[in-house]
Amino acid sequence: MHTFHIPVLGLGYSVDTPVKVAPLGISSVASIVDDELIERMRAHYSRLYQKPYTEIRKNDDDFRARRITAYLDLMAEIIDRKFTEICAEPFEAGRSITRYFELLPDNSPLRQRYLAMCETSDEARRRMLQDELRSDMVKGDIDVNIMSKVDKLNKDAFGVALPDRYSDASASLRGFAHSRLTSSVILSAGMNPRLYNYLENFPDFFPGEDGKFSKKITLKVSDFRSALIQAKFLAKKGIWVSEFRIESGLNCGGHAFATDGYLLGPILEEFKNRRGELIRELFQLLRPALQNRGINLSTAPPLKVTVQGGIGTTQEDRFLLKHYEVDATGWGSPFLMVPEATNVDESTLDDLIHAQPSDYYVSNSSPLGVLFNNFRKSSAEKQRLERIAKGRPGSPCKKKYLVSNTEFTEEPICTASRVYQHLKIKQLNSADLSEEEREKSINAVTEKLCLCEGLSAAALLKNGLLSPRENKAVAICPGPNLAWFSGKYTLEEMIGHIYGRINLIARDNRPHMFINELTLYVTHYRKNLEEQLENFSDKKQKYLGKFRDQLLEGVSYYKALIPQITNQATHYLQEMQEQLAALEETILSMQSPSPAAEMVNR
């Protein structure tokens, strides 16, 4: 029905977004990483909709998967109920059924049929058209997200190691696979062979006799090569990737997986040009694997390509859909400003409304060791600084989803934890370092932020589920594109902005999303160059040389692309050309010195 979806937003920001938007035909994604949050949300919605609730406790067998299944089933039941109620409503002003059709894009055939019905005066024909409209209404997809690399191995209550199928990611997958949902699991953060192998255990991921899937696989990718490698791995097992969800490496929310200088425009161009080749190659691997399972397919299943990350205007959205022939776009961070769609507490929402562009930045805050889009005004960031000032850096580690470090302990611990930071700072203080080196090293340690609780806190706060003694500090990870949105919006307003019915960006100096992403990559390149000055190596120099070459190739691509962007004003395209030229000059001025030359200079 719609040409956009709402991607996953942290652990808690979109954990119940499907309940809010799916009955209106809008697709969205909920994270299923935090089973503790999920269990509390299940209890909340059971009370809200007067459903029976029996707690699934942490000492229950397979509790993580069972919690996820129970919550997803409850969401599906609530959405079905709400959707049925909407479909039965009379077509009257202010009703949800009229809202359903009025939210659709202007060029939607269903919306046009709705408008034609509204103009029909013959009562009998009007009722017939209304019945036809009701029969063609569909719910939005209730998709789920699993970060593949968040996959801690677990032990039972007696400290005995559990089998691999009880790892965090595997249990999440099992929870989805056993649910009643007919939707997609979005696998992000790269390939996890253990998890990918585990997919074979669930028949729903294989096509039925009609060639259709009960549950689909979507891969979130940042370039064509990684998409092909992961999809081939799965195709050899008989698993089809139904969608590649391309996300900008840096111009996105949450964790930022920077490419080696590959920019979004050229990446989309490669997907467009090689899409047919991709489908043929994957189907050649898929078909014999399915035949070994007694499944025969004569044609390749559908394969969608979508894009997200940094989209901010209807012109950008339409250009992506038309020029790159993508099937849909993803609008994430802007929906943080829509209270009826996502979970953002009032204090954080107010900070976002009044934020400046400099408040959004790429950090090393994540314990995963991956770049993380952070927000300077978040209460979690303020709490982190307060703890440092009090000589108590780090956080209590309760959920332990991101434990990975064994530098000081036999059991893995989290680098954002108080235990790790105390031990690491103690080590640094006893090391033979200059004061400047010590300070820099300690700052790198204390920069890590607790995300397990911080990214869930807003959902608990907004729904009144946080107990008095729980940590109220909120971590939030919007993309830098959110700097251009400065208000609290209704669902109608945000969707109206996406489809060009209204404009929510007050300032007219916002650069194009491709320019914004290139700027982020130039900053990233400069930072890497500065780090190389402190730690020379031939390998690093080779990497930076390749990175620089890719940026310059991207610039050349955009120079040729700008004349093809026909839905922007002439002065805007001229500004794009000027901005592109300035960024090219900056890239050319930054040259990585060789280790040998640096030794001579010294």
Side-chain angles (χ1 to χ4, degrees), residues 210-493:
D210 58 359
K212 296 182 180 180
F213 297 84
S214 297
K215 290 180 172 63
K216 298 177 182 179
I217 302 295
T218 293
L219 295 184
K220 188 189 291 186
V221 297
S222 55
D223 60 66
F224 186 88
R225 180 176 176 273
S226 67
L228 181 60
I229 291 171
Q230 293 181 70
K232 286 173 68 175
F233 182 94
L234 291 171
K236 291 175 183 176
K237 299 178 179 298
I239 302 291
W240 182 254
V241 175
S242 295
E243 179 184 342
F244 289 108
R245 192 158 286 190
I246 306 164
E247 184 172 70
S248 169
L250 288 178
N251 196 16
C252 60
H255 285 89
F257 295 88
T259 66
D260 294 344
Y262 296 97
L263 301 176
L264 187 60
I267 291 168
L268 290 171
E269 190 74 39
E270 185 171 14
F271 270 93
K272 175 184 174 180
N273 294 335
R274 301 181 65 184
R275 189 169 180 171
E277 170 194 338
L278 177 66
I279 293 172
R280 287 191 297 272
E281 185 171 354
L282 294 178
F283 187 56
Q284 285 176 357
L285 297 172
L286 179 82
R287 193 174 185 182
L290 288 179
Q291 287 173 341
N292 291 335
R293 293 177 174 270
I295 302 171
N296 291 293
L297 289 184
S298 57
T299 57
L303 188 152
K304 293 169 62 179
V305 175
T306 62
V307 60
Q308 60 195 42
I311 309 169
T313 67
T314 188
Q315 290 84 2
E316 291 172 353
D317 186 85
R318 289 174 179 173
F319 182 77
L320 293 170
L321 290 167
K322 183 177 180 181
H323 183 80
Y324 294 109
E325 299 171 8
V326 296
D327 297 285
T329 56
W331 286 67
S333 295
F335 275 94
L336 293 171
M337 315 297 273
V338 183
E340 61 188 299
T342 56
N343 293 309
V344 182
D345 60 288
E346 284 296 329
S347 177
T348 302
L349 182 57
D350 186 65
D351 286 334
L352 291 173
I353 290 171
H354 296 98
Q356 299 299 315
S358 59
D359 291 323
Y360 302 92
Y361 69 108
V362 178
S363 72
N364 290 304
S365 298
S366 172
L368 288 176
V370 178
L371 293 176
F372 182 75
N373 281 287
N374 212 341
F375 181 56
R376 296 187 198 280
K377 290 186 174 182
S378 74
S379 53
E381 183 64 13
K382 293 173 186 174
Q383 183 184 70
R384 182 186 72 85
L385 296 173
E386 288 170 358
R387 286 172 170 171
I388 294 171
K390 292 176 180 177
R392 294 270 290 168
S395 305
C397 189
K398 297 178 180 178
K399 295 184 176 179
K400 303 184 186 302
Y401 295 129
L402 304 182
V403 295
S404 61
N405 187 280
T406 55
E407 187 178 356
F408 302 106
T409 56
E410 185 175 341
E411 289 290 325
I413 58 176
C414 179
T415 55
S417 70
R418 186 166 292 158
V419 172
Y420 173 80
Q421 294 193 8
H422 170 75
L423 292 170
K424 188 64 179 179
I425 292 170
K426 183 178 178 181
Q427 180 194 68
L428 292 170
N429 283 331
S430 62
D432 184 19
L433 299 172
S434 68
E435 192 59 36
E436 183 181 353
E437 290 173 325
R438 181 177 292 105
E439 182 180 359
K440 183 177 180 180
S441 298
I442 290 175
N443 287 341
V445 172
T446 59
E447 186 179 3
K448 302 302 180 187
L449 191 65
C450 176
L451 300 182
C452 296
E453 290 195 340
L455 291 177
S456 299
L460 298 174
L461 280 168
K462 184 172 180 180
N463 291 287
L465 304 179
L466 207 63
S467 65
R469 301 185 69 177
E470 282 188 281
N471 189 354
K472 297 178 174 60
V474 172
I476 192 166
C477 48
N481 185 47
L482 194 59
W484 303 95
F485 294 86
S486 303
K488 182 191 295 188
Y489 308 116
T490 64
L491 197 59
E492 277 79 6
E493 287 173 329

Side-chain angles (χ1 to χ4, degrees), residues 570-590:
T570 303
H571 71 87
Y572 185 85
L573 297 178
Q574 179 62 39
E575 289 174 1
M576 279 187 71
Q577 291 172 335
E578 293 169 358
Q579 292 160 346
L580 198 59
L583 287 166
E584 181 180 34
E585 186 176 343
T586 300
I587 298 167
L588 291 170
S589 69
M590 294 188 294

Side-chain angles (χ1 to χ4, degrees), residues 61-332:
D61 181 57
D62 203 18
F63 70 91
R64 180 175 171 84
R66 289 174 55 211
R67 283 175 167 181
I68 291 166
T69 301
Y71 179 64
L72 296 180
D73 285 349
L74 177 63
M75 275 209 299
E77 184 180 351
I78 292 170
I79 290 166
D80 284 349
R81 170 178 154 182
K82 293 176 72 172
F83 182 69
T84 300
E85 290 172 352
I86 290 173
C87 291
E89 288 181 350
F91 281 84
E92 298 172 350
R95 293 283 192 169
S96 293
I97 193 168
T98 58
R99 189 185 193 203
Y100 179 101
F101 291 98
E102 288 168 359
L103 287 173
L104 293 171
D106 294 344
N107 61 355
S108 162
L110 196 59
R111 178 184 168 93
Q112 292 170 1
R113 285 166 52 199
Y114 162 75
L115 294 175
M117 180 277 295
C118 293
E119 295 173 359
T120 301
S121 56
D122 182 85
E123 190 59 34
R125 176 163 175 75
R126 187 181 177 89
R127 284 197 300 270
M128 182 190 72
L129 293 175
Q130 289 177 352
D131 289 341
E132 290 176 356
L133 288 171
R134 286 192 176 93
S135 67
D136 288 340
M137 292 171 66
V138 296
K139 295 169 292 186
D141 292 333
I142 312 163
D143 294 331
V144 301
N145 178 256
I146 298 174
M147 280 191 72
S148 300
K149 298 297 176 66
V150 181
D151 194 20
K152 170 174 57 69
L153 292 170
N154 291 303
K155 297 181 178 181
D156 65 16
F158 302 100
V160 178
L162 292 168
D164 284 358
R165 71 188 190 94
Y166 289 99
S167 73
D168 282 356
S170 296
S172 294
L173 180 67
R174 184 165 59 257
F176 170 68
H178 288 164
S179 74
R180 56 176 284 196
L181 294 184
T182 302
S183 57
S184 296
V185 56
I186 292 93
L187 302 176
S188 62
M191 189 166 78
N192 177 345
R194 177 170 64 209
L195 181 66
Y196 284 19
N197 287 329
Y198 191 49
L199 285 163
E200 295 181 81
N201 290 276
F202 305 102
D204 280 3
F205 291 117
F206 295 96
E209 293 181 0
D210 58 359
K212 296 182 180 180
F213 297 84
S214 297
K215 290 180 172 63
K216 298 177 182 179
I217 302 295
T218 293
L219 295 184
K220 188 189 291 186
V221 297
S222 55
D223 60 66
F224 186 88
R225 180 176 176 273
S226 67
L228 181 60
I229 291 171
Q230 293 181 70
K232 286 173 68 175
F233 182 94
L234 291 171
K236 291 175 183 176
K237 299 178 179 298
I239 302 291
W240 182 254
V241 175
S242 295
E243 179 184 342
F244 289 108
R245 192 158 286 190
I246 306 164
E247 184 172 70
S248 169
L250 288 178
N251 196 16
C252 60
H255 285 89
F257 295 88
T259 66
D260 294 344
Y262 296 97
L263 301 176
L264 187 60
I267 291 168
L268 290 171
E269 190 74 39
E270 185 171 14
F271 270 93
K272 175 184 174 180
N273 294 335
R274 301 181 65 184
R275 189 169 180 171
E277 170 194 338
L278 177 66
I279 293 172
R280 287 191 297 272
E281 185 171 354
L282 294 178
F283 187 56
Q284 285 176 357
L285 297 172
L286 179 82
R287 193 174 185 182
L290 288 179
Q291 287 173 341
N292 291 335
R293 293 177 174 270
I295 302 171
N296 291 293
L297 289 184
S298 57
T299 57
L303 188 152
K304 293 169 62 179
V305 175
T306 62
V307 60
Q308 60 195 42
I311 309 169
T313 67
T314 188
Q315 290 84 2
E316 291 172 353
D317 186 85
R318 289 174 179 173
F319 182 77
L320 293 170
L321 290 167
K322 183 177 180 181
H323 183 80
Y324 294 109
E325 299 171 8
V326 296
D327 297 285
T329 56
W331 286 67

